[in-house]
Amino acid sequence: MNVNATLLAIGTQMSIPVYPDVFVEDGEIPAKYIEFNYADERPMLRGGGDDIAERVTIQVHLFVQGNPMADKETLKNKLRENGFFINNVYQTFETDTHYTHVCVSCWTWGTVNLQ
């Protein structure tokens, strides 16, 4: 199951650049950005010998210089609006980069594309 397009669209809606897997420096480092990675993918429903539906767990990492609260709540709401269920959220301040790092672990499910 591929949710990349959904996560990229959420970043666009929030006017925050999004990087699948890892931030790639391509010039000026933004004051806020999002990275995401697939933490777990597993079949949830089988039939006729095939996987029919699967669940994917994603870690969405929001990095913000300054107070992250508004962006954190917006991100959580956008994820929910797009069919994600939030497992947990943790937040830490990175003293070396001076970014607040918010990680939202969330999951969604969908049918398997067998093509």
Side-chain angles (χ1 to χ4, degrees), residues 66-108:
N67 187 335
M69 293 309 288
D71 290 315
K72 177 172 76 171
E73 293 306 316
T74 300
L75 176 60
K76 289 169 27 182
N77 289 335
K78 294 285 184 191
L79 288 166
R80 288 180 182 116
E81 288 170 9
N82 283 277
F84 288 88
F85 301 90
I86 294 175
N87 290 331
N88 66 321
V89 179
Y90 73 82
Q91 180 175 317
T92 187
F93 180 75
E94 298 181 349
T95 57
D96 57 337
T97 64
H98 301 285
Y99 280 89
T100 298
H101 177 186
V102 176
C103 179
V104 181
S105 176
C106 56
W107 65 275
T108 191

Side-chain angles (χ1 to χ4, degrees), residues 1-30:
M1 182 173 175
N2 187 328
V3 296
N4 290 19
T6 301
L7 296 170
L8 292 168
I10 288 172
T12 299
Q13 293 166 8
M14 294 177 65
S15 300
I16 299 176
V18 177
Y19 302 90
D21 298 317
V22 66
F23 170 72
V24 178
E25 185 177 346
D26 56 359
E28 185 177 333
I29 299 174

